[in-house]
Amino acid sequence: AQSVTQLDSQVPVFEEAPVELRCNYSSSVSVYLFWYVQYPNQGLQLLLKYLSGSTLVKGINGFEAEFNKSQTSFHLRKPSVHISDTAEYFCAVSPNDYKLSFGAGTTVTVRA
Amino acid sequence: DTEVTQTPKHLVMGMTNKKSLKCEQHMGHRAMYWYKQKAKKPPELMFVYSYEKLSINESVPSRFSPECPNSSLLNLHLHALQPEDSALYLCASSQVMGPTEAFFGQGTRLTVV
């Protein structure tokens, strides 16, 4: 079985400041890891994914994440946020089957 | 074309109504999914279709009935819903059923009155 813990439910941040969203997972098998973003009244959009290879993953909109197997973490970062980054962010894991398991989500609010 | 298109965007229905949600993708994906998302919660998987056959039903009540007429289309038929079924219903697709990225539609906001 696998589970995902997003350690921060809400993250307020000022425009042009850096942001880090923390995600830890537990799994007894190898997993694939994803970050999705959901803007208000929208569906989910894939930001980035880790399937294998380099542990530093770059995604869209200037986001990146680092896979740390020993700490079972997959934290998301952006060096400088914009107002348009205000959204809900979901970390998700998928072991070697069909099911995406989502974390509870982190609400990012960017203020001017 | 990397879009998953859902219609309608909004739906209000009474508890005795029958309605359908529609989902379409033209990416050649062979796995399609229905998720339910309540406010401020992550999506919850309902159904998975793989190669147009129902592969997974996550113990969803029978008032929700999925259908996959062909490889590009996925429907969710609704009948005798309850107010607690009000939610955002998301359709997604992936190349195959498995640990690969899923593409999501914009969702249908359903309100049951």
Side-chain angles (χ1 to χ4, degrees), chain A residues 4-107:
Chain A
V4 182
T5 302
Q6 291 184 240
L7 296 162
D8 308 290
S9 60
Q10 297 194 45
V11 174
V13 59
F14 286 106
E15 194 174 20
E16 297 183 10
V19 71
E20 180 181 74
L21 308 184
R22 297 178 293 168
C23 173
N24 285 93
Y25 68 92
S26 64
S27 175
S28 58
V29 297
S30 298
V31 295
Y32 300 95
L33 296 154
F34 307 86
W35 275 99
Y36 283 87
V37 61
Q38 187 173 31
Y39 300 104
N41 300 311
Q42 300 284 314
L44 275 69
Q45 181 181 10
L46 182 70
L47 277 177
L48 46 79
K49 61 188 177 188
Y50 173 79
L51 302 182
S52 65
S54 173
T55 56
L56 183 62
V57 180
K58 293 193 184 296
I60 62 171
N61 301 342
F63 284 93
E64 65 180 31
E66 185 154 18
F67 170 60
N68 187 318
K69 187 174 182 179
S70 62
Q71 296 187 6
T72 60
S73 67
F74 191 54
H75 300 334
L76 180 72
R77 300 184 184 95
K78 185 170 181 177
S80 176
V81 295
H82 302 290
I83 297 288
S84 58
D85 291 321
T86 293
E88 190 78 14
Y89 292 79
F90 291 101
C91 180
V93 301
S94 175
N96 199 21
D97 64 13
Y98 65 92
K99 193 167 180 174
L100 272 177
S101 293
F102 288 92
T106 297
T107 303

Side-chain angles (χ1 to χ4, degrees), chain B residues 21-69:
Chain B
L21 310 185
K22 297 186 183 303
C23 174
E24 190 168 6
Q25 56 88 14
H26 295 288
M27 294 178 278
H29 289 175
R30 305 313 299 268
M32 296 186 78
Y33 310 77
W34 280 115
Y35 284 84
K36 174 182 177 179
Q37 186 181 25
K38 300 285 275 185
K40 304 293 185 186
K41 297 289 187 184
E44 297 175 358
L45 183 66
M46 300 174 72
F47 302 103
V48 183
Y49 272 82
S50 178
Y51 290 87
E52 295 118 69
K53 293 195 184 326
L54 181 63
S55 292
I56 305 292
N57 176 341
E58 292 280 306
S59 303
V60 179
S62 60
R63 57 186 185 269
F64 295 91
S65 175
E67 179 197 20
C68 190

